[in-house]
Amino acid sequence: LPPKNRANQATRPRAFAPEMSTDPENQMREVHLPQGGMNAEQKLAQMKAKVATQMMRAVKDTEKAIDDEIETLENLNKTDLENIRRKRIIEMKKKAEKMAQWRQKGHGTYTELADQKQWFEEVKANERTICLFYRNTTNASDKYTQILDKHLQQLAQKHMETRFLKINAEKSPFLAQKLNIVLLPTILCTKDNFTHDRIEGFDPLGGTESFTTETLRARLGKKKNIDFDPLVDKPLANAKRMYHTSTSNKTGKSIYASKLAQLGDDDDWDDISD
């Protein structure tokens, strides 16, 4: 190069290039060094702060809703209170009328049906029914029937909204066949003229003869066969097992072949009851 160009090259600033280590381990360490990342403790602290913020926001929202409700109640005038009172009276009258209608239909009692014709009539006349299909030709079957009778009798008195019934399955072969009653005892539930639910044997009630009335109540309430509020009624231990409905029962006695049954759950009975 000419002398002038060499002088310009000598005075030109050089770009900075960091020296990389020739050690392979050091090179890997340099490549994977975190740049400004958070460690586990910092991430945990950040998460705790977010949770605390959300909790405070939820508390404030709840307090605001309560304050708004209190303000509404405080600002009620005489007309508002009278409207609330009138609405409450109307609701009480409707409930009293419904209770009277239920009593006329036999609600509040546990009734034995004479034949399958009565069963069809009860199902059509009542929004919800719970019927025990039983037999008492053996000591064991009679014992199981008495156990369920005791619990269903108590529930019938507690739950006026549902009609509680029982029928001897062996004296109603057509009905048992159509309903696919193959194990006894079986509790069959109907709703709005359709079969809605069934409990076969004692397996769905904990697999024991010593189950409580509350256990049966919870199982019936789970499928809305009766009015049941888990937040109000007594909680049950081992709820998963109590609520599990088994389709087979090794100790049960088969009295009708299920292959003959043409109608199952959710069948309408208008076309076969006549």
Side-chain angles (χ1 to χ4, degrees):
L1 292 173
K4 183 177 180 181
N5 292 338
R6 285 201 299 269
N8 293 338
Q9 186 179 25
T11 58
R12 185 181 302 163
R14 294 181 179 181
F16 176 75
E19 295 183 358
M20 299 295 291
S21 171
T22 58
D23 185 0
E25 293 185 0
N26 289 337
Q27 288 180 358
M28 291 296 295
R29 201 159 43 242
E30 290 166 354
V31 170
H32 293 287
L33 274 176
Q35 299 180 359
M38 294 187 296
N39 57 31
E41 292 182 358
Q42 291 173 328
K43 289 181 179 180
L44 180 60
Q46 186 183 55
M47 186 179 298
K48 288 182 177 180
K50 289 182 178 179
V51 172
T53 301
Q54 293 176 356
M55 290 181 64
M56 287 300 299
R57 187 180 296 115
V59 170
K60 290 181 179 179
D61 292 342
T62 303
E63 289 179 348
K64 185 178 184 304
I66 295 174
D67 291 340
D68 292 343
E69 185 68 21
I70 292 174
E71 183 179 358
T72 301
L73 294 174
E74 289 178 347
N75 292 332
L76 288 176
N77 54 35
K78 186 177 180 180
T79 303
D80 294 329
L81 294 174
E82 189 63 27
N83 290 335
I84 293 174
R85 180 175 176 273
R86 188 181 299 110
K87 184 178 178 181
R88 178 60 177 164
I89 291 174
I90 293 174
E91 291 176 352
M92 292 176 65
K93 286 183 177 179
K94 288 182 178 180
K95 185 176 181 180
E97 291 174 358
K98 208 165 193 178
M99 291 289 286
Q101 293 175 358
W102 285 338
R103 288 193 180 94
Q104 289 179 356
K105 293 181 178 181
H107 287 236
T109 62
Y110 180 44
T111 305
E112 171 108 27
L113 301 178
D115 53 37
Q116 55 201 25
K117 182 180 179 181
Q118 287 188 353
W119 184 86
F120 286 116
E121 293 173 350
E122 291 287 351
V123 168
K124 289 183 177 182
N126 296 281
E127 179 184 352
R128 289 181 287 186
T129 70
I130 294 174
C131 184
L132 171 64
F133 284 78
Y134 74 96
R135 71 172 185 172
N136 54 7
T137 53
T138 66
N139 292 334
S141 61
D142 189 53
K143 174 185 176 183
Y144 299 149
T145 300
Q146 291 181 21
I147 292 173
L148 286 170
D149 281 345
K150 178 186 67 174
H151 297 302
L152 292 172
Q153 180 70 46
Q154 296 181 35
L155 291 176
Q157 297 173 2
K158 290 182 179 179
H159 293 277
M160 291 284 294
E161 69 276 4
T162 302
R163 183 79 163 105
F164 284 78
L165 309 164
K166 64 182 294 189
I167 189 170
N168 191 321
E170 291 187 326
K171 293 182 180 180
S172 305
F174 171 79
L175 181 61
Q177 176 181 319
K178 289 300 181 182
L179 294 174
N180 195 17
I181 304 295
V182 296
L183 301 175
L184 293 178
T186 288
I187 298 175
L188 187 79
C189 308
T190 66
K191 184 177 182 180
D192 296 327
N193 205 28
F194 287 84
T195 52
H196 175 66
D197 185 28
R198 66 180 63 209
I199 301 174
E200 297 176 322
F202 292 163
D203 283 352
L205 303 172
T208 175
E209 302 173 9
S210 58
F211 64 90
T212 65
T213 304
E214 288 296 328
T215 302
L216 179 57
R217 185 186 188 191
R219 172 57 184 81
L220 292 171
K222 184 174 186 290
K223 294 295 184 68
K224 307 302 181 183
N225 302 304
I226 56 176
D227 293 339
F228 173 74
D229 187 349
L231 298 178
V232 175
D233 294 311
K234 180 181 178 181
L236 302 172
N238 303 322
K240 184 176 181 180
R241 177 167 178 76
M242 290 178 183
Y243 291 157
H244 174 68
T245 301
S246 174
T247 57
S248 63
N249 184 349
K250 296 180 179 179
T251 62
K253 181 68 174 179
S254 176
I255 61 170
Y256 297 105
S258 60
K259 292 182 180 179
L260 296 176
Q262 300 299 320
L263 299 177
D265 287 354
D266 297 328
D267 289 319
D268 193 336
W269 301 107
D270 286 335
D271 55 344
I272 67 173
S273 59
D274 296 333

